[in-house]
Amino acid sequence: MSETTAETLQHRFDGPEDAPVLVIGPSLGTTWHMWDRQVPELARHWRVFRYDLPGHGGAPAHPAPSVADLADRLLATLDGLGVQRFGYAGCSIGGAVGADLALRHPHRVASLALVASSPRFGTADEFRRRGVIVRTNGLEPMARTAPERWFTPGFAAAQPAIVEWAVQMVRTTDPGCYIAACEALAAFDVRAHLGRIGVPTLVLVGAEDQVTGPAEARTLVAGIPDARLALVPGASHLAPVEQPAAVCDLLLTHFSTAWQDAPAAIPATAPLVPGPATEATPFAPVAEIAAAPVLPEAAGPERDDRHQQGAKVRREVLGDVHVDAVTASADAFTEDFQELVTRYAWGEVWSRDGLDRRTRSCVTLTALVASGRLEGLAAHTRAALRNGLTPAEIKEVLLHSAVYCGIPAAGAAFDIARSVIQEETTPPT
């Protein structure tokens, strides 16, 4: 096990020191052990580098606020080890890291495999609510529901030891790092940039994945030039655990045949073309080449930066559902008002550096109570939870406002906030 800092990642190597480096990344809530079944065979051909996400698998708890930050930490780790060019395979958020690397550092990536991944993971609202649930209830709700997200029902019933292993991985994750990873996934969206990924890419997905399933995989294949799609039958989200032989054979084939030569100016730590793979273990056909659908025409000219920033912050704080509803209800009479709110309230005041979002939520809740404008309190209670306030802290804000703004207004605010908090923090059944 490696020593790490806030700028690097916990990691390990397997395989010959003189072989090309193959980096493999984990899914949210897992450790590098999710790849244990693939490593012995992969390490015959590559020097396999595995890493843990911050706060996962006993790694130091240095939360990473974005996928790009995770990718930067990975590169800093590899730089410290003298690794310049590598193949990359990642599962779920590990796949997001790979896509980010291929977009921002294409000269470092020789070949890419995106496993159970997506150009956008669900909706931002879903992941920010998951963060609220963990902040309020801890990781037990996520641990309890992990098996149904990760495995097919038949596999979970037949492999209780693996299910328990999966649950324990989540339970031992640092909650703050898990929440930060949820925020990173909420903000991740590379749909508009897929066409710039120029490295050989395999998109691999479990046929029964309900988290990032075949539809998301086909979006990746449609957007990434010459990408190939592999569907693995009998597998859900953690396909490398559920169907280890099939996933291993697909990775062997891809990285043995699609390893792109490095540009002459980029030094490599080892020869860049691995030796031939051994004969694959027989399994049912799993590869499928997806036809690229006709993509919609590009949008018209973008609005100014202040409006774009305001729209971004407004969605991050209030959520897509709320903003979409407001936008849908706007008409010719109210659209200028919505433009004003987006540009000045969200693009200027909420975007200033002088106060963090937690503090701005405290001020906003108090102002709504003081002014009696309680029609906005539900939305801003949800926003406060997204911005990191706990239910106990929201209660203190409302108690404080009762002293200075009046008991009746605060009492009505308590009723509204209680209902929202119960809705937002109740774990899924």
Side-chain angles (χ1 to χ4, degrees):
M1 188 173 294
S2 58
E3 293 185 4
T4 64
T5 68
E7 290 78 34
T8 59
L9 297 174
Q10 178 171 285
H11 62 276
R12 65 172 290 171
F13 275 113
D14 295 277
E17 293 187 3
D18 60 347
V21 173
L22 175 61
V23 177
I24 48 181
S27 176
L28 174 61
T30 73
T31 72
W32 64 42
H33 291 294
M34 69 161 285
W35 294 101
D36 279 352
R37 299 285 294 278
Q38 285 77 36
V39 166
E41 186 62 28
L42 295 178
R44 295 179 60 190
H45 311 281
W46 296 280
R47 183 152 175 77
V48 178
F49 174 99
R50 284 184 284 175
Y51 67 90
D52 275 328
L53 299 170
H56 291 59
H62 303 301
S66 68
V67 169
D69 185 80
L70 283 172
D72 289 343
R73 294 189 197 186
L74 175 58
L75 285 185
T77 308
L78 293 169
D79 287 345
L81 297 165
V83 177
Q84 289 297 311
R85 192 163 169 85
F86 48 86
Y88 186 93
C91 183
S92 196
I93 192 173
V97 170
D100 181 84
L101 289 171
L103 286 167
R104 295 195 298 128
H105 305 279
H107 60 287
R108 303 290 296 269
V109 182
S111 189
L112 178 66
L114 305 177
V115 180
S117 196
S118 177
R120 184 190 188 194
F121 290 76
T123 67
D125 288 356
E126 292 169 2
F127 276 98
R128 292 199 170 100
R129 182 165 184 257
R130 188 186 293 191
V132 168
I133 289 172
V134 172
R135 189 177 291 113
T136 307
N137 301 279
L139 278 165
E140 185 57 30
M142 298 300 110
R144 189 175 61 248
T145 57
E148 66 190 54
R149 293 195 305 271
W150 288 353
F151 306 124
T152 60
F155 180 86
Q159 300 288 345
I162 293 180
V163 168
E164 180 59 24
W165 162 79
V167 168
Q168 289 303 321
M169 274 196 301
V170 180
R171 283 180 177 150
T172 56
T173 298
D174 175 76
C177 289
Y178 189 99
I179 292 168
C182 288
E183 291 290 335
L185 287 174
F188 181 77
D189 187 352
V190 295
R191 289 174 295 177
H193 309 292
L194 294 177
R196 294 196 293 109
I197 296 179
V199 300
T201 302
L202 172 71
V203 178
L204 191 157
V205 63
E208 299 181 50
D209 190 343
Q210 301 299 310
V211 180
T212 51
E216 287 82 1
R218 289 189 173 94
T219 300
L220 287 169
V221 170
I224 300 173
D226 300 322
R228 298 175 66 85
L229 173 64
L231 291 174
V232 181
S236 186
H237 193 57
L238 286 195
V241 176
E242 197 161 4
Q243 294 291 342
V247 170
C248 187
D249 286 343
L250 286 163
L251 294 180
L252 281 168
T253 300
H254 174 66
F255 287 108
S256 295
T257 58
W259 197 280
Q260 192 175 69
D261 288 340
I266 303 300
T269 59
L272 292 173
V273 181
T278 57
E279 185 176 350
T281 304
F283 58 94
V286 295
E288 168 188 340
I289 305 301
V294 178
L295 298 178
E297 294 184 3
E302 295 181 344
R303 303 191 194 188
D304 62 64
D305 291 343
R306 189 165 53 185
H307 184 279
Q308 291 180 55
Q309 174 67 12
K312 176 177 179 290
V313 173
R314 192 178 191 183
R315 286 185 177 277
E316 289 174 354
V317 173
L318 294 177
D320 289 335
V321 171
H322 176 89
V323 176
D324 287 344
V326 171
T327 303
S329 66
D331 55 22
F333 185 73
T334 62
E335 62 182 2
D336 288 343
F337 174 72
Q338 290 302 323
E339 174 79 7
L340 175 74
V341 170
T342 300
R343 286 166 56 88
Y344 292 100
W346 297 102
E348 289 200 358
V349 175
W350 270 90
S351 296
R352 291 174 64 86
D353 295 330
L355 296 174
D356 61 28
R357 290 186 185 177
R358 284 171 48 87
T359 305
R360 290 190 186 280
S361 279
C362 291
V363 173
T364 302
L365 292 175
T366 304
L368 289 171
V369 174
S371 63
R373 304 298 184 186
L374 299 184
E375 62 273 13
L377 194 76
H380 277 282
T381 300
R382 289 189 178 88
L385 291 168
R386 289 169 177 273
N387 288 340
L389 291 178
T390 65
E393 289 171 327
I394 293 173
K395 178 178 72 174
E396 292 301 323
V397 170
L398 296 182
L399 282 172
H400 200 80
S401 65
V403 173
Y404 292 94
C405 305
I407 298 294
F414 263 102
D415 288 340
I416 295 169
R418 176 176 57 188
S419 176
V420 171
I421 290 169
Q422 287 176 344
E423 177 184 340
E424 292 295 312
T425 63
T426 301
T429 56

Short mmCIF file of all heavy atoms in Angstrom, two decimals, residues 291-315:
data_model
loop_
_atom_site.label_atom_id
_atom_site.label_comp_id
_atom_site.label_asym_id
_atom_site.label_seq_id
_atom_site.Cartn_x
_atom_site.Cartn_y
_atom_site.Cartn_z
N ALA A 291 -24.97 1.35 -33.76
CA ALA A 291 -25.04 2.37 -34.80
C ALA A 291 -25.22 3.73 -34.14
O ALA A 291 -25.97 3.88 -33.18
CB ALA A 291 -26.21 2.08 -35.74
N ALA A 292 -24.54 4.70 -34.66
CA ALA A 292 -24.64 6.04 -34.09
C ALA A 292 -25.93 6.70 -34.56
O ALA A 292 -26.18 6.80 -35.75
CB ALA A 292 -23.44 6.89 -34.52
N PRO A 293 -26.78 7.15 -33.63
CA PRO A 293 -27.99 7.85 -34.03
C PRO A 293 -27.67 9.24 -34.55
O PRO A 293 -26.58 9.76 -34.34
CB PRO A 293 -28.79 7.94 -32.71
CG PRO A 293 -27.73 7.94 -31.65
CD PRO A 293 -26.63 7.06 -32.18
N VAL A 294 -28.62 9.84 -35.23
CA VAL A 294 -28.45 11.21 -35.71
C VAL A 294 -28.51 12.14 -34.51
O VAL A 294 -29.47 12.14 -33.75
CB VAL A 294 -29.55 11.57 -36.73
CG1 VAL A 294 -29.38 13.02 -37.17
CG2 VAL A 294 -29.47 10.62 -37.92
N LEU A 295 -27.47 12.92 -34.33
CA LEU A 295 -27.41 13.81 -33.19
C LEU A 295 -28.15 15.10 -33.49
O LEU A 295 -28.18 15.55 -34.63
CB LEU A 295 -25.95 14.12 -32.84
CG LEU A 295 -25.12 12.91 -32.43
CD1 LEU A 295 -23.67 13.35 -32.15
CD2 LEU A 295 -25.70 12.23 -31.21
N PRO A 296 -28.75 15.74 -32.47
CA PRO A 296 -29.44 17.00 -32.71
C PRO A 296 -28.46 18.09 -33.12
O PRO A 296 -27.28 18.04 -32.79
CB PRO A 296 -30.07 17.31 -31.33
CG PRO A 296 -29.25 16.54 -30.36
CD PRO A 296 -28.82 15.30 -31.08
N GLU A 297 -28.98 19.06 -33.85
CA GLU A 297 -28.14 20.17 -34.27
C GLU A 297 -27.69 20.96 -33.06
O GLU A 297 -28.35 21.01 -32.03
CB GLU A 297 -28.90 21.08 -35.22
CG GLU A 297 -29.25 20.43 -36.56
CD GLU A 297 -29.92 21.40 -37.49
OE1 GLU A 297 -30.05 22.58 -37.10
OE2 GLU A 297 -30.31 20.99 -38.60
N ALA A 298 -26.53 21.55 -33.20
CA ALA A 298 -26.00 22.33 -32.09
C ALA A 298 -26.92 23.50 -31.78
O ALA A 298 -27.60 24.04 -32.64
CB ALA A 298 -24.60 22.86 -32.45
N ALA A 299 -26.91 23.87 -30.51
CA ALA A 299 -27.75 24.98 -30.07
C ALA A 299 -27.24 26.29 -30.66
O ALA A 299 -26.11 26.39 -31.13
CB ALA A 299 -27.75 25.06 -28.54
N GLY A 300 -28.05 27.31 -30.59
CA GLY A 300 -27.68 28.61 -31.11
C GLY A 300 -26.64 29.29 -30.25
O GLY A 300 -26.10 28.71 -29.31
N PRO A 301 -26.37 30.55 -30.52
CA PRO A 301 -25.34 31.28 -29.77
C PRO A 301 -25.66 31.29 -28.28
O PRO A 301 -26.80 31.44 -27.85
CB PRO A 301 -25.41 32.69 -30.37
CG PRO A 301 -26.04 32.51 -31.72
CD PRO A 301 -26.98 31.36 -31.58
N GLU A 302 -24.61 31.12 -27.46
CA GLU A 302 -24.80 31.09 -26.01
C GLU A 302 -25.02 32.51 -25.49
O GLU A 302 -24.55 33.49 -26.06
CB GLU A 302 -23.58 30.46 -25.35
CG GLU A 302 -23.40 29.01 -25.70
CD GLU A 302 -22.20 28.41 -25.00
OE1 GLU A 302 -21.35 29.19 -24.50
OE2 GLU A 302 -22.10 27.18 -24.96
N ARG A 303 -25.71 32.59 -24.33
CA ARG A 303 -25.91 33.89 -23.73
C ARG A 303 -24.61 34.31 -23.03
O ARG A 303 -23.65 33.56 -22.97
CB ARG A 303 -27.06 33.82 -22.72
CG ARG A 303 -28.36 33.34 -23.34
CD ARG A 303 -29.50 33.55 -22.38
NE ARG A 303 -30.69 32.81 -22.79
CZ ARG A 303 -31.87 32.93 -22.21
NH1 ARG A 303 -32.01 33.72 -21.19
NH2 ARG A 303 -32.90 32.23 -22.65
N ASP A 304 -24.62 35.51 -22.46
CA ASP A 304 -23.39 36.01 -21.87
C ASP A 304 -23.00 35.19 -20.64
O ASP A 304 -23.80 34.44 -20.08
CB ASP A 304 -23.54 37.50 -21.52
CG ASP A 304 -24.63 37.74 -20.48
OD1 ASP A 304 -24.49 37.25 -19.35
OD2 ASP A 304 -25.64 38.39 -20.81
N ASP A 305 -21.77 35.38 -20.21
CA ASP A 305 -21.21 34.57 -19.13
C ASP A 305 -21.99 34.70 -17.83
O ASP A 305 -22.12 33.74 -17.07
CB ASP A 305 -19.75 34.97 -18.90
CG ASP A 305 -18.85 34.56 -20.06
OD1 ASP A 305 -19.29 33.71 -20.86
OD2 ASP A 305 -17.73 35.09 -20.15
N ARG A 306 -22.51 35.89 -17.55
CA ARG A 306 -23.22 36.11 -16.29
C ARG A 306 -24.50 35.28 -16.25
O ARG A 306 -24.83 34.70 -15.22
CB ARG A 306 -23.54 37.60 -16.12
CG ARG A 306 -24.08 37.95 -14.75
CD ARG A 306 -24.02 39.44 -14.50
NE ARG A 306 -24.68 40.19 -15.58
CZ ARG A 306 -24.68 41.51 -15.66
NH1 ARG A 306 -24.03 42.22 -14.75
NH2 ARG A 306 -25.30 42.12 -16.65
N HIS A 307 -25.21 35.20 -17.35
CA HIS A 307 -26.42 34.39 -17.39
C HIS A 307 -26.05 32.91 -17.29
O HIS A 307 -26.72 32.14 -16.56
CB HIS A 307 -27.19 34.64 -18.68
CG HIS A 307 -28.49 33.90 -18.75
ND1 HIS A 307 -28.57 32.56 -19.10
CD2 HIS A 307 -29.77 34.29 -18.47
CE1 HIS A 307 -29.83 32.17 -19.04
NE2 HIS A 307 -30.58 33.19 -18.67
N GLN A 308 -25.00 32.48 -18.00
CA GLN A 308 -24.60 31.08 -17.92
C GLN A 308 -24.20 30.70 -16.50
O GLN A 308 -24.59 29.64 -16.01
CB GLN A 308 -23.42 30.83 -18.87
CG GLN A 308 -23.79 30.92 -20.34
CD GLN A 308 -22.58 30.65 -21.21
OE1 GLN A 308 -21.94 29.61 -21.08
NE2 GLN A 308 -22.27 31.57 -22.09
N GLN A 309 -23.42 31.56 -15.85
CA GLN A 309 -23.01 31.28 -14.47
C GLN A 309 -24.23 31.24 -13.55
O GLN A 309 -24.34 30.37 -12.68
CB GLN A 309 -22.02 32.34 -13.99
CG GLN A 309 -21.64 32.25 -12.52
CD GLN A 309 -20.84 31.01 -12.20
OE1 GLN A 309 -20.38 30.31 -13.10
NE2 GLN A 309 -20.69 30.71 -10.92
N GLY A 310 -25.15 32.18 -13.73
CA GLY A 310 -26.35 32.21 -12.91
C GLY A 310 -27.19 30.97 -13.09
O GLY A 310 -27.71 30.40 -12.11
N ALA A 311 -27.38 30.53 -14.34
CA ALA A 311 -28.16 29.32 -14.60
C ALA A 311 -27.51 28.11 -13.95
O ALA A 311 -28.20 27.23 -13.39
CB ALA A 311 -28.32 29.12 -16.10
N LYS A 312 -26.20 28.03 -14.00
CA LYS A 312 -25.47 26.91 -13.40
C LYS A 312 -25.64 26.90 -11.88
O LYS A 312 -25.99 25.86 -11.29
CB LYS A 312 -23.99 27.01 -13.77
CG LYS A 312 -23.09 25.95 -13.14
CD LYS A 312 -21.66 26.12 -13.63
CE LYS A 312 -20.72 25.09 -13.01
NZ LYS A 312 -20.50 25.35 -11.57
N VAL A 313 -25.41 28.04 -11.24
CA VAL A 313 -25.52 28.11 -9.78
C VAL A 313 -26.95 27.88 -9.33
O VAL A 313 -27.21 27.19 -8.33
CB VAL A 313 -24.98 29.46 -9.27
CG1 VAL A 313 -25.25 29.63 -7.77
CG2 VAL A 313 -23.49 29.59 -9.55
N ARG A 314 -27.90 28.44 -10.05
CA ARG A 314 -29.32 28.27 -9.69
C ARG A 314 -29.70 26.80 -9.69
O ARG A 314 -30.39 26.32 -8.78
CB ARG A 314 -30.19 29.05 -10.68
CG ARG A 314 -31.65 29.19 -10.26
CD ARG A 314 -32.43 30.02 -11.28
NE ARG A 314 -33.75 30.38 -10.79
CZ ARG A 314 -34.65 31.04 -11.49
NH1 ARG A 314 -34.37 31.42 -12.74
NH2 ARG A 314 -35.84 31.33 -10.97
N ARG A 315 -29.24 26.05 -10.69
CA ARG A 315 -29.55 24.62 -10.74
C ARG A 315 -28.82 23.85 -9.64
O ARG A 315 -29.38 22.93 -9.04
CB ARG A 315 -29.18 24.05 -12.11
CG ARG A 315 -30.15 24.45 -13.21
CD ARG A 315 -29.85 23.79 -14.54
NE ARG A 315 -30.85 24.17 -15.53
CZ ARG A 315 -32.03 23.58 -15.66
NH1 ARG A 315 -32.37 22.56 -14.88
NH2 ARG A 315 -32.89 23.99 -16.58
#
